Each structure stands twice: as structure tokens, then as C-alpha cells.
Amino acid sequence: MLKDPRQRQPASRGAKLPRGDETPNRLGKGGAGEAFPWLGLGMLLAVWLGCGLLLGWYVVLFSLLLLGVSALIALPWLAGLLRRPAQASPQASPSPRDGDFEATVFMADWKPNAKDRAVNAVYGLSRMLSRWATTGHQAQGELFMAQGEVDTVVAEAEAAALKISQSFRAILANNDRQTKAALALLGMIQPVEAAAPAGTLNDEWQRMARLQQAQARAAAQWAETAERHAAQQTSACASDLEMEQRLDALAGLVKQVSISTLGMGVQGGASSGDAARALDLLTARVRQLLDSAREVDRQTRRWLAEVRAGHEDTAGALQQAARGLRQSSATAQSGFQQAERNLAAKVADACEVVRSIHQLTLDNQSHINGVVVAMQFFDINSQKLQKLKHPLLSEVVQRLNALAIETRSLGRNFDIDEIDVPKVLREFAVVQPGARGAAPAQPGKPPARPAAAPAVSGEVELF
Amino acid sequence: MARILVVDDSATMRQMLGYTLERVGHEVVEVCDGHAALEQAAAQRFDLIITDVNMPGMTGIELTSQLRQRQLTRTTPVLVLTTESEQEKKQQGRAAGATGWIVKPFDPDELLRVLPRVLGPVA
């Protein structure tokens, strides 16, 4: 490891930091150059005390006198002698920190030459390279861990995306099946409506229409029969009235015959000469009356026969109408039942299709629920990524920013542009682990980044 | 059917909740933070409030606590829907007055099964 040239240069030139200089320079106030004389005096004091205890105080006082004189003479040399090993041990000095480079610049009484500047620059560059490498490794490790987290999140997101894709695919497939089922339903309905001559259902409707027509005809016959029956009833009533009148007339005739017979008996008793002629007249009159009575009776029988025949016609017509109606009704019922059976079959098919569509809809709902869950996973993972990305990258960027500032400070303080850095590097054989394989720093350019360091320049500016 | 206020800063989550609840006939009002939720809750009565926990400005637990302090929403059921599943958080929600705690991602059917228990006769 290359030693810090700033610890060597001031001592070699006997330079001193001015008192009150507030720059944090450990080489002046707090460095090993001041610590070692006090240490020597302390050691002398310890030897003196030891000798005093062992040899007695008079001898000790004499030796002390000698030592004091010799110390006054040898102190500058002793101090210089003691300083060298102290400067040569880097472990004794505190480790340099940020801002050490500026302390060197403000040393007013030391003007570094080109070689000093080169050594400083090389040292600074080597330290910078080392820190670049360290920071790069740390950043790489942290980014690696972050990448692991991100990989997990991405894997979950991919699984969610896959589930979404599968769900939507299933939805689309179900929609396709739904469409086919609906088309099948339409295929069943359309022939019934469109193809009337060949349509089964249409035939049924036509048959039902025919049955209705037959029923209408039967009803018309019923009405006609009813009208005829009413007319016959009216006629029968008139005949009954007429027959009653005739019967009354007949009853009157019979009464007259009885009265005439009674009168003739009286008259026959009064005059027997005219009794035979009167009896003849009476007999003729009675015969005439009886003929009239027979005629009335015959007419009455005929009217009664007509009435009976009218009633029979009425009953027959009614029976016929009833039979027609029963037949029509039975036929219509049969047609309706057939139509109903056909319709029931069609409705059953339609219901089956509808049930199928309903089941597909339920399946779709389940798939859509899957989509809802997957979308939530997306959202949750997105939030996780946001939470993860912000602090981690902020820290890395902060460190790289600090390094960039330090690099700029290094370049500004050591006039790197004036130094042939590759030559100096070769001269001092500076090889840093982080700089292995890296190109030597070029004048006017920042030191080469270690291979392990992430590409941060653009990101640093962006953040 | 119930009128439900959904409070979540994630538009995706609001959409998913809205879809799930409106599908079964509920009326859904969506807001993106606790302040907007308080305004809505003061303007109209809701049968249920579903809120996320981690939201900008006001957490769901703070929102629940404030809802419980208001007369109009003192007894309104509040369901907390969050990715948080720690017992401590749940206890905080319970102490604030939450009615229930659902861990994301929620199953739509499960949410719909829970609703009648929370809504009561309104459902």
C-alpha cells in the first residue's frame, strides 16, 4: 500500500504549520513529530527515578545534571531521530479522512514541486480508485440484494400477469361458447318463424286455426238449429192454441148435440107425426156434428204429429250440433296437446341453452374474480417496488455523489492536468485492487472507474 | 342495496372494489384519501365505509378514528382493507373503531359474503 506522501513532505523540508491554523492537519499539532520528544523526556524521567531508587539520591542528582546537559545538547538531534521512525509507521498516524487534501494546500510555507504534486496526485488517485472500488462493491452488493427482492416481486407480478392472461383467455373461450350456444338457439327458433310451410310449429298453428274454424262452423250450426227450434216452438204454440180452439169447438158441438137430443126428445113427445122427420133431421144433424168432430180430431192429431216431428227435428239438430262441437273440441284439444308437446320440447331445448349460458356466465364471474385478485397483486407489488427502490437507490446515489465531489476536489487541488499520471503510476508501481484492468487516469479526466463500480454518471445527474 | 364509500389511494384497488360491489347492485362512491372521505361522509350518509390503511395525508386508522368522533358516522360500519396483517396493526384498527379488517388481496366472493354480516338488514 502506498504511504501517504503528505506525512513525509512537510517533515522532510522541516516545515511547520503556523499556530492557529484551523485546517485539520495532523502532521503539525497532533502528529507524531511533537509526541515523541515528550515521550523521550518521560523515558528519561523514568530512568532517573529508577536509578534514584536503586543507587541513592546523590548519585542520581549528579547523573541528572549530566543528563540534563547532554539532553540540551542532543535534544534537536534526538527529536529528529525520534521523529523519523514515527513518520515511517503509518499505523501510528490516524487514518486520513475527507478534506485531508485541502490541509496540504493551505500549508503556506511549503511549495510542492512537480514531483511532490505528482506523488500527491498518485496517492490521491490511488486512494480514490480504492474508494471507488469499495463503494462500487458495496453498491453492487446492495443492488444485488435489491435485485433479489425485485426478482421476487417481478416473479409475483409475472405470476399475476399469467393468471390474468389465463383468466381472460378462459373468459374469451366462454364467450365463444356462449356465442355458439346463442347461435344454436337462434338456429332452432329461426326455422320455426321463417320456414312456415315446413315448420312444425307453424303446422300446429294452422291446424289450430282449422279447428277454430270448425268450431265456428259448429257454433253457426248450433245457432241455426236454435233458430229453427225457436220457430218450431212458436209454430207448435200456435198449433196448440188452434187445437185448443178446435177442441173447444168440438166440445161446443157435443154440447149442442146433447141439447138438440134433449130438445128433440121433448118435441118428439109433443107431436108424434112429425117425430120421424124431426128424428131424421136430428140424426142428420148429429152425424154432421160427429163428422165435424172427427175432422177436428183428425186435424188435431195431425197438428200434434207435426209438433212432435218439429220437436224431434229440434232434438236431432241439437244432438248433431253437440256431436260436432264435441268432435271439434276433441280435435282442437288433440291439436293443442300436440302443439304443446312440440312447444314444450322446443322450450326445453331453449331452457337447456339458457342454463348453459347461465353456467358459462357463472364461470366467467369466477374468472373475473381471478382477474380482480391478480390486479390487486399488481398494485401491491407496485407499491412494494416503490418502497424498496427509493431508500436503496437514494443511499447508493448519495455515496456516488460524495465520491464525485471528492473526485472533483482532487482534480482541483492537485492540478492533475499538469501531471503525466501514467508515467507516475509506472514509476510508483501503483496497483490498486479496484483499478485492476482499468485504464490509467488521463489528464483532464476523472480517474478510471473500477470494473465493479456501477455506471452511475447519468443516474447521479438524474437523481 | 347499500351505499358504500371506498377510500384507497390506488386507482386499481378502487376499480376492483367498485366492480365487485356494483356487480351485486350496491352504489359505490370512490375517493382517494382520508380528507376527501371525511368530506363525503359529512355530505351524505353511507351504509358502509371501506378504507385502505397506508394512504398519503391520513392513514385509514386515523380516518376511522375521526369517523367515530362524528355524529353522522359514529355507527357506520368501517371495514379496513390493507396489506398489513400484523396483530398490532389490527389492534390499532380495532381500537380506532374499525368494524373489520380484510387483508389484500381480497377475494371478491369472500368480500360479498362478509358484507351482509356488516350491513345487516340494508344488504
Side-chain angles (χ1 to χ4, degrees), chain A residues 199-237:
Chain A
T200 309
L201 191 60
N202 199 55
D203 287 348
E204 294 301 326
W205 288 120
Q206 286 182 355
R207 209 164 81 187
M208 284 166 61
R210 284 197 296 271
L211 287 172
Q212 282 180 345
Q213 286 174 0
Q215 281 183 331
R217 278 199 300 273
Q221 283 179 355
W222 175 274
E224 190 181 347
T225 305
E227 283 175 3
R228 197 171 65 222
H229 174 67
Q232 286 173 348
Q233 287 295 328
T234 306
S235 173
C237 286

mmCIF file of all heavy atoms in Angstrom, chain A residues 199-237:
data_model
loop_
_atom_site.group_PDB
_atom_site.id
_atom_site.type_symbol
_atom_site.label_atom_id
_atom_site.label_comp_id
_atom_site.label_asym_id
_atom_site.label_seq_id
_atom_site.Cartn_x
_atom_site.Cartn_y
_atom_site.Cartn_z
ATOM 1 N N GLY A 199 -92.380 -25.628 -41.392
ATOM 2 C CA GLY A 199 -92.205 -25.518 -39.951
ATOM 3 C C GLY A 199 -93.222 -26.322 -39.179
ATOM 4 O O GLY A 199 -94.421 -26.212 -39.411
ATOM 5 N N THR A 200 -92.723 -27.109 -38.261
ATOM 6 C CA THR A 200 -93.610 -27.950 -37.482
ATOM 7 C C THR A 200 -94.561 -27.111 -36.634
ATOM 8 O O THR A 200 -95.767 -27.341 -36.588
ATOM 9 C CB THR A 200 -92.771 -28.855 -36.565
ATOM 10 O OG1 THR A 200 -91.797 -29.483 -37.356
ATOM 11 C CG2 THR A 200 -93.655 -29.876 -35.878
ATOM 12 N N LEU A 201 -93.980 -26.154 -36.019
ATOM 13 C CA LEU A 201 -94.798 -25.336 -35.133
ATOM 14 C C LEU A 201 -95.867 -24.577 -35.911
ATOM 15 O O LEU A 201 -97.017 -24.456 -35.479
ATOM 16 C CB LEU A 201 -93.892 -24.353 -34.388
ATOM 17 C CG LEU A 201 -94.543 -23.603 -33.240
ATOM 18 C CD1 LEU A 201 -95.044 -24.555 -32.187
ATOM 19 C CD2 LEU A 201 -93.562 -22.615 -32.659
ATOM 20 N N ASN A 202 -95.467 -24.126 -37.087
ATOM 21 C CA ASN A 202 -96.422 -23.403 -37.918
ATOM 22 C C ASN A 202 -97.575 -24.303 -38.336
ATOM 23 O O ASN A 202 -98.732 -23.881 -38.375
ATOM 24 C CB ASN A 202 -95.695 -22.839 -39.130
ATOM 25 C CG ASN A 202 -96.478 -21.720 -39.771
ATOM 26 O OD1 ASN A 202 -96.822 -20.750 -39.096
ATOM 27 N ND2 ASN A 202 -96.781 -21.859 -41.027
ATOM 28 N N ASP A 203 -97.254 -25.561 -38.640
ATOM 29 C CA ASP A 203 -98.305 -26.525 -38.980
ATOM 30 C C ASP A 203 -99.293 -26.658 -37.831
ATOM 31 O O ASP A 203 -100.504 -26.747 -38.033
ATOM 32 C CB ASP A 203 -97.683 -27.889 -39.284
ATOM 33 C CG ASP A 203 -96.975 -27.862 -40.622
ATOM 34 O OD1 ASP A 203 -97.182 -26.876 -41.373
ATOM 35 O OD2 ASP A 203 -96.203 -28.789 -40.891
ATOM 36 N N GLU A 204 -98.735 -26.695 -36.656
ATOM 37 C CA GLU A 204 -99.604 -26.814 -35.495
ATOM 38 C C GLU A 204 -100.536 -25.618 -35.389
ATOM 39 O O GLU A 204 -101.735 -25.757 -35.103
ATOM 40 C CB GLU A 204 -98.760 -26.931 -34.216
ATOM 41 C CG GLU A 204 -97.942 -28.190 -34.138
ATOM 42 C CD GLU A 204 -98.818 -29.431 -34.188
ATOM 43 O OE1 GLU A 204 -99.935 -29.378 -33.664
ATOM 44 O OE2 GLU A 204 -98.386 -30.447 -34.779
ATOM 45 N N TRP A 205 -99.960 -24.444 -35.615
ATOM 46 C CA TRP A 205 -100.794 -23.252 -35.556
ATOM 47 C C TRP A 205 -101.884 -23.292 -36.628
ATOM 48 O O TRP A 205 -103.034 -22.939 -36.385
ATOM 49 C CB TRP A 205 -99.957 -21.989 -35.726
ATOM 50 C CG TRP A 205 -99.100 -21.683 -34.533
ATOM 51 C CD1 TRP A 205 -97.764 -21.585 -34.506
ATOM 52 C CD2 TRP A 205 -99.562 -21.451 -33.196
ATOM 53 N NE1 TRP A 205 -97.328 -21.313 -33.250
ATOM 54 C CE2 TRP A 205 -98.412 -21.213 -32.406
ATOM 55 C CE3 TRP A 205 -100.812 -21.437 -32.580
ATOM 56 C CZ2 TRP A 205 -98.486 -20.960 -31.056
ATOM 57 C CZ3 TRP A 205 -100.877 -21.166 -31.231
ATOM 58 C CH2 TRP A 205 -99.729 -20.932 -30.478
ATOM 59 N N GLN A 206 -101.496 -23.767 -37.817
ATOM 60 C CA GLN A 206 -102.505 -23.864 -38.891
ATOM 61 C C GLN A 206 -103.598 -24.853 -38.507
ATOM 62 O O GLN A 206 -104.792 -24.632 -38.744
ATOM 63 C CB GLN A 206 -101.821 -24.293 -40.188
ATOM 64 C CG GLN A 206 -101.014 -23.162 -40.812
ATOM 65 C CD GLN A 206 -100.378 -23.590 -42.116
ATOM 66 O OE1 GLN A 206 -100.471 -24.747 -42.497
ATOM 67 N NE2 GLN A 206 -99.742 -22.646 -42.786
ATOM 68 N N ARG A 207 -103.187 -25.937 -37.914
ATOM 69 C CA ARG A 207 -104.179 -26.925 -37.524
ATOM 70 C C ARG A 207 -105.114 -26.355 -36.450
ATOM 71 O O ARG A 207 -106.331 -26.580 -36.461
ATOM 72 C CB ARG A 207 -103.482 -28.178 -36.982
ATOM 73 C CG ARG A 207 -104.291 -29.426 -37.223
ATOM 74 C CD ARG A 207 -103.470 -30.643 -37.040
ATOM 75 N NE ARG A 207 -103.335 -31.014 -35.659
ATOM 76 C CZ ARG A 207 -102.532 -31.987 -35.215
ATOM 77 N NH1 ARG A 207 -101.783 -32.637 -36.076
ATOM 78 N NH2 ARG A 207 -102.484 -32.297 -33.957
ATOM 79 N N MET A 208 -104.485 -25.619 -35.555
ATOM 80 C CA MET A 208 -105.323 -24.983 -34.541
ATOM 81 C C MET A 208 -106.295 -23.994 -35.169
ATOM 82 O O MET A 208 -107.469 -23.891 -34.761
ATOM 83 C CB MET A 208 -104.430 -24.261 -33.524
ATOM 84 C CG MET A 208 -103.773 -25.224 -32.559
ATOM 85 S SD MET A 208 -102.444 -24.465 -31.640
ATOM 86 C CE MET A 208 -103.350 -23.205 -30.807
ATOM 87 N N ALA A 209 -105.850 -23.308 -36.200
ATOM 88 C CA ALA A 209 -106.733 -22.360 -36.886
ATOM 89 C C ALA A 209 -107.897 -23.103 -37.550
ATOM 90 O O ALA A 209 -109.053 -22.661 -37.492
ATOM 91 C CB ALA A 209 -105.934 -21.575 -37.916
ATOM 92 N N ARG A 210 -107.544 -24.216 -38.152
ATOM 93 C CA ARG A 210 -108.613 -25.008 -38.791
ATOM 94 C C ARG A 210 -109.626 -25.492 -37.756
ATOM 95 O O ARG A 210 -110.840 -25.494 -37.978
ATOM 96 C CB ARG A 210 -107.989 -26.199 -39.519
ATOM 97 C CG ARG A 210 -107.325 -25.809 -40.838
ATOM 98 C CD ARG A 210 -107.107 -27.052 -41.708
ATOM 99 N NE ARG A 210 -106.188 -27.987 -41.087
ATOM 100 C CZ ARG A 210 -104.872 -27.969 -41.236
ATOM 101 N NH1 ARG A 210 -104.313 -27.023 -42.012
ATOM 102 N NH2 ARG A 210 -104.098 -28.850 -40.649
ATOM 103 N N LEU A 211 -109.128 -25.918 -36.654
ATOM 104 C CA LEU A 211 -110.022 -26.369 -35.583
ATOM 105 C C LEU A 211 -110.923 -25.239 -35.116
ATOM 106 O O LEU A 211 -112.119 -25.436 -34.835
ATOM 107 C CB LEU A 211 -109.199 -26.900 -34.413
ATOM 108 C CG LEU A 211 -108.534 -28.251 -34.667
ATOM 109 C CD1 LEU A 211 -107.596 -28.595 -33.529
ATOM 110 C CD2 LEU A 211 -109.593 -29.340 -34.806
ATOM 111 N N GLN A 212 -110.325 -24.076 -35.042
ATOM 112 C CA GLN A 212 -111.146 -22.936 -34.629
ATOM 113 C C GLN A 212 -112.243 -22.662 -35.655
ATOM 114 O O GLN A 212 -113.387 -22.340 -35.309
ATOM 115 C CB GLN A 212 -110.256 -21.705 -34.453
ATOM 116 C CG GLN A 212 -109.495 -21.729 -33.142
ATOM 117 C CD GLN A 212 -108.622 -20.516 -32.989
ATOM 118 O OE1 GLN A 212 -108.376 -19.817 -33.961
ATOM 119 N NE2 GLN A 212 -108.161 -20.292 -31.774
ATOM 120 N N GLN A 213 -111.880 -22.802 -36.930
ATOM 121 C CA GLN A 213 -112.896 -22.614 -37.974
ATOM 122 C C GLN A 213 -114.010 -23.653 -37.838
ATOM 123 O O GLN A 213 -115.202 -23.350 -37.977
ATOM 124 C CB GLN A 213 -112.241 -22.722 -39.350
ATOM 125 C CG GLN A 213 -111.400 -21.496 -39.704
ATOM 126 C CD GLN A 213 -110.654 -21.694 -41.011
ATOM 127 O OE1 GLN A 213 -110.758 -22.739 -41.640
ATOM 128 N NE2 GLN A 213 -109.912 -20.673 -41.401
ATOM 129 N N ALA A 214 -113.604 -24.892 -37.590
ATOM 130 C CA ALA A 214 -114.617 -25.947 -37.406
ATOM 131 C C ALA A 214 -115.511 -25.628 -36.216
ATOM 132 O O ALA A 214 -116.747 -25.813 -36.272
ATOM 133 C CB ALA A 214 -113.909 -27.283 -37.193
ATOM 134 N N GLN A 215 -114.893 -25.127 -35.173
ATOM 135 C CA GLN A 215 -115.694 -24.752 -34.006
ATOM 136 C C GLN A 215 -116.678 -23.633 -34.364
ATOM 137 O O GLN A 215 -117.828 -23.626 -33.937
ATOM 138 C CB GLN A 215 -114.768 -24.292 -32.878
ATOM 139 C CG GLN A 215 -114.132 -25.441 -32.128
ATOM 140 C CD GLN A 215 -113.272 -24.960 -30.982
ATOM 141 O OE1 GLN A 215 -112.734 -23.877 -31.049
ATOM 142 N NE2 GLN A 215 -113.154 -25.773 -29.963
ATOM 143 N N ALA A 216 -116.193 -22.710 -35.189
ATOM 144 C CA ALA A 216 -117.066 -21.608 -35.588
ATOM 145 C C ALA A 216 -118.236 -22.137 -36.425
ATOM 146 O O ALA A 216 -119.388 -21.710 -36.249
ATOM 147 C CB ALA A 216 -116.259 -20.587 -36.384
ATOM 148 N N ARG A 217 -117.902 -23.049 -37.315
ATOM 149 C CA ARG A 217 -118.980 -23.634 -38.132
ATOM 150 C C ARG A 217 -119.983 -24.364 -37.239
ATOM 151 O O ARG A 217 -121.194 -24.260 -37.419
ATOM 152 C CB ARG A 217 -118.380 -24.594 -39.165
ATOM 153 C CG ARG A 217 -117.858 -23.895 -40.411
ATOM 154 C CD ARG A 217 -117.729 -24.902 -41.559
ATOM 155 N NE ARG A 217 -116.809 -25.971 -41.214
ATOM 156 C CZ ARG A 217 -115.488 -25.920 -41.395
ATOM 157 N NH1 ARG A 217 -114.952 -24.817 -41.925
ATOM 158 N NH2 ARG A 217 -114.717 -26.922 -41.072
ATOM 159 N N ALA A 218 -119.460 -25.118 -36.320
ATOM 160 C CA ALA A 218 -120.353 -25.836 -35.403
ATOM 161 C C ALA A 218 -121.228 -24.868 -34.614
ATOM 162 O O ALA A 218 -122.429 -25.098 -34.413
ATOM 163 C CB ALA A 218 -119.504 -26.686 -34.457
ATOM 164 N N ALA A 219 -120.619 -23.779 -34.230
ATOM 165 C CA ALA A 219 -121.397 -22.775 -33.488
ATOM 166 C C ALA A 219 -122.481 -22.178 -34.367
ATOM 167 O O ALA A 219 -123.615 -21.937 -33.924
ATOM 168 C CB ALA A 219 -120.445 -21.698 -32.976
ATOM 169 N N ALA A 220 -122.125 -21.969 -35.660
ATOM 170 C CA ALA A 220 -123.124 -21.434 -36.590
ATOM 171 C C ALA A 220 -124.274 -22.420 -36.765
ATOM 172 O O ALA A 220 -125.460 -22.036 -36.770
ATOM 173 C CB ALA A 220 -122.447 -21.139 -37.925
ATOM 174 N N GLN A 221 -123.919 -23.707 -36.874
ATOM 175 C CA GLN A 221 -124.969 -24.722 -36.991
ATOM 176 C C GLN A 221 -125.838 -24.723 -35.738
ATOM 177 O O GLN A 221 -127.053 -24.861 -35.801
ATOM 178 C CB GLN A 221 -124.327 -26.106 -37.197
ATOM 179 C CG GLN A 221 -123.821 -26.324 -38.607
ATOM 180 C CD GLN A 221 -123.170 -27.697 -38.731
ATOM 181 O OE1 GLN A 221 -123.029 -28.409 -37.747
ATOM 182 N NE2 GLN A 221 -122.772 -28.032 -39.944
ATOM 183 N N TRP A 222 -125.159 -24.609 -34.635
ATOM 184 C CA TRP A 222 -125.891 -24.556 -33.361
ATOM 185 C C TRP A 222 -126.884 -23.402 -33.363
ATOM 186 O O TRP A 222 -128.053 -23.545 -33.001
ATOM 187 C CB TRP A 222 -124.900 -24.421 -32.211
ATOM 188 C CG TRP A 222 -125.537 -24.231 -30.874
ATOM 189 C CD1 TRP A 222 -125.930 -23.050 -30.335
ATOM 190 C CD2 TRP A 222 -125.914 -25.229 -29.962
ATOM 191 N NE1 TRP A 222 -126.502 -23.234 -29.132
ATOM 192 C CE2 TRP A 222 -126.512 -24.588 -28.859
ATOM 193 C CE3 TRP A 222 -125.805 -26.636 -29.947
ATOM 194 C CZ2 TRP A 222 -126.987 -25.287 -27.767
ATOM 195 C CZ3 TRP A 222 -126.277 -27.303 -28.833
ATOM 196 C CH2 TRP A 222 -126.849 -26.647 -27.769
ATOM 197 N N ALA A 223 -126.404 -22.268 -33.822
ATOM 198 C CA ALA A 223 -127.268 -21.084 -33.850
ATOM 199 C C ALA A 223 -128.444 -21.296 -34.808
ATOM 200 O O ALA A 223 -129.599 -20.973 -34.488
ATOM 201 C CB ALA A 223 -126.446 -19.877 -34.271
ATOM 202 N N GLU A 224 -128.108 -21.863 -35.979
ATOM 203 C CA GLU A 224 -129.162 -22.104 -36.968
ATOM 204 C C GLU A 224 -130.219 -23.079 -36.409
ATOM 205 O O GLU A 224 -131.430 -22.858 -36.530
ATOM 206 C CB GLU A 224 -128.523 -22.692 -38.232
ATOM 207 C CG GLU A 224 -129.461 -22.774 -39.417
ATOM 208 C CD GLU A 224 -128.767 -23.374 -40.618
ATOM 209 O OE1 GLU A 224 -127.510 -23.481 -40.596
ATOM 210 O OE2 GLU A 224 -129.460 -23.738 -41.573
ATOM 211 N N THR A 225 -129.702 -24.115 -35.799
ATOM 212 C CA THR A 225 -130.620 -25.090 -35.205
ATOM 213 C C THR A 225 -131.476 -24.463 -34.110
ATOM 214 O O THR A 225 -132.683 -24.728 -33.992
ATOM 215 C CB THR A 225 -129.812 -26.262 -34.622
ATOM 216 O OG1 THR A 225 -128.995 -26.792 -35.649
ATOM 217 C CG2 THR A 225 -130.738 -27.339 -34.077
ATOM 218 N N ALA A 226 -130.804 -23.627 -33.351
ATOM 219 C CA ALA A 226 -131.539 -22.965 -32.263
ATOM 220 C C ALA A 226 -132.637 -22.080 -32.827
ATOM 221 O O ALA A 226 -133.761 -22.043 -32.293
ATOM 222 C CB ALA A 226 -130.560 -22.148 -31.424
ATOM 223 N N GLU A 227 -132.326 -21.373 -33.929
ATOM 224 C CA GLU A 227 -133.346 -20.518 -34.542
ATOM 225 C C GLU A 227 -134.525 -21.363 -35.063
ATOM 226 O O GLU A 227 -135.705 -21.028 -34.877
ATOM 227 C CB GLU A 227 -132.725 -19.730 -35.693
ATOM 228 C CG GLU A 227 -131.866 -18.555 -35.230
ATOM 229 C CD GLU A 227 -131.180 -17.874 -36.395
ATOM 230 O OE1 GLU A 227 -131.418 -18.293 -37.547
ATOM 231 O OE2 GLU A 227 -130.411 -16.938 -36.145
ATOM 232 N N ARG A 228 -134.132 -22.446 -35.725
ATOM 233 C CA ARG A 228 -135.196 -23.310 -36.253
ATOM 234 C C ARG A 228 -136.033 -23.895 -35.113
ATOM 235 O O ARG A 228 -137.269 -23.989 -35.185
ATOM 236 C CB ARG A 228 -134.553 -24.439 -37.076
ATOM 237 C CG ARG A 228 -135.564 -25.132 -37.979
ATOM 238 C CD ARG A 228 -134.898 -26.088 -38.929
ATOM 239 N NE ARG A 228 -134.269 -27.177 -38.272
ATOM 240 C CZ ARG A 228 -133.093 -27.686 -38.574
ATOM 241 N NH1 ARG A 228 -132.394 -27.137 -39.555
ATOM 242 N NH2 ARG A 228 -132.595 -28.708 -37.916
ATOM 243 N N HIS A 229 -135.325 -24.257 -34.083
ATOM 244 C CA HIS A 229 -136.048 -24.797 -32.934
ATOM 245 C C HIS A 229 -137.016 -23.763 -32.358
ATOM 246 O O HIS A 229 -138.175 -24.078 -32.018
ATOM 247 C CB HIS A 229 -135.021 -25.211 -31.881
ATOM 248 C CG HIS A 229 -135.623 -25.644 -30.602
ATOM 249 N ND1 HIS A 229 -136.392 -26.806 -30.475
ATOM 250 C CD2 HIS A 229 -135.614 -25.097 -29.358
ATOM 251 C CE1 HIS A 229 -136.796 -26.943 -29.254
ATOM 252 N NE2 HIS A 229 -136.353 -25.912 -28.536
ATOM 253 N N ALA A 230 -136.537 -22.520 -32.330
ATOM 254 C CA ALA A 230 -137.408 -21.453 -31.815
ATOM 255 C C ALA A 230 -138.638 -21.290 -32.709
ATOM 256 O O ALA A 230 -139.773 -21.137 -32.219
ATOM 257 C CB ALA A 230 -136.607 -20.161 -31.738
ATOM 258 N N ALA A 231 -138.408 -21.332 -34.024
ATOM 259 C CA ALA A 231 -139.526 -21.185 -34.961
ATOM 260 C C ALA A 231 -140.516 -22.327 -34.807
ATOM 261 O O ALA A 231 -141.745 -22.131 -34.786
ATOM 262 C CB ALA A 231 -138.979 -21.138 -36.391
ATOM 263 N N GLN A 232 -139.969 -23.522 -34.655
ATOM 264 C CA GLN A 232 -140.858 -24.688 -34.498
ATOM 265 C C GLN A 232 -141.655 -24.594 -33.191
ATOM 266 O O GLN A 232 -142.829 -24.968 -33.126
ATOM 267 C CB GLN A 232 -140.023 -25.969 -34.532
ATOM 268 C CG GLN A 232 -139.546 -26.311 -35.932
ATOM 269 C CD GLN A 232 -138.580 -27.480 -35.918
ATOM 270 O OE1 GLN A 232 -138.114 -27.863 -34.854
ATOM 271 N NE2 GLN A 232 -138.308 -28.036 -37.087
ATOM 272 N N GLN A 233 -140.970 -24.119 -32.198
ATOM 273 C CA GLN A 233 -141.656 -23.954 -30.914
ATOM 274 C C GLN A 233 -142.818 -22.958 -31.038
ATOM 275 O O GLN A 233 -143.927 -23.169 -30.518
ATOM 276 C CB GLN A 233 -140.657 -23.467 -29.864
ATOM 277 C CG GLN A 233 -139.672 -24.510 -29.400
ATOM 278 C CD GLN A 233 -140.354 -25.640 -28.658
ATOM 279 O OE1 GLN A 233 -141.382 -25.431 -27.968
ATOM 280 N NE2 GLN A 233 -139.866 -26.855 -28.820
ATOM 281 N N THR A 234 -142.505 -21.859 -31.780
ATOM 282 C CA THR A 234 -143.559 -20.849 -31.997
ATOM 283 C C THR A 234 -144.747 -21.456 -32.759
ATOM 284 O O THR A 234 -145.924 -21.256 -32.419
ATOM 285 C CB THR A 234 -142.978 -19.671 -32.791
ATOM 286 O OG1 THR A 234 -141.834 -19.206 -32.094
ATOM 287 C CG2 THR A 234 -143.990 -18.558 -32.946
ATOM 288 N N SER A 235 -144.354 -22.203 -33.782
ATOM 289 C CA SER A 235 -145.395 -22.842 -34.605
ATOM 290 C C SER A 235 -146.202 -23.841 -33.760
ATOM 291 O O SER A 235 -147.433 -23.918 -33.838
ATOM 292 C CB SER A 235 -144.739 -23.560 -35.793
ATOM 293 O OG SER A 235 -145.699 -24.307 -36.483
ATOM 294 N N ALA A 236 -145.465 -24.558 -32.939
ATOM 295 C CA ALA A 236 -146.128 -25.534 -32.080
ATOM 296 C C ALA A 236 -147.099 -24.862 -31.119
ATOM 297 O O ALA A 236 -148.225 -25.326 -30.866
ATOM 298 C CB ALA A 236 -145.065 -26.324 -31.307
ATOM 299 N N CYS A 237 -146.657 -23.711 -30.631
ATOM 300 C CA CYS A 237 -147.522 -22.973 -29.717
ATOM 301 C C CYS A 237 -148.807 -22.518 -30.430
ATOM 302 O O CYS A 237 -149.929 -22.617 -29.883
ATOM 303 C CB CYS A 237 -146.774 -21.762 -29.178
ATOM 304 S SG CYS A 237 -145.519 -22.195 -27.968
#
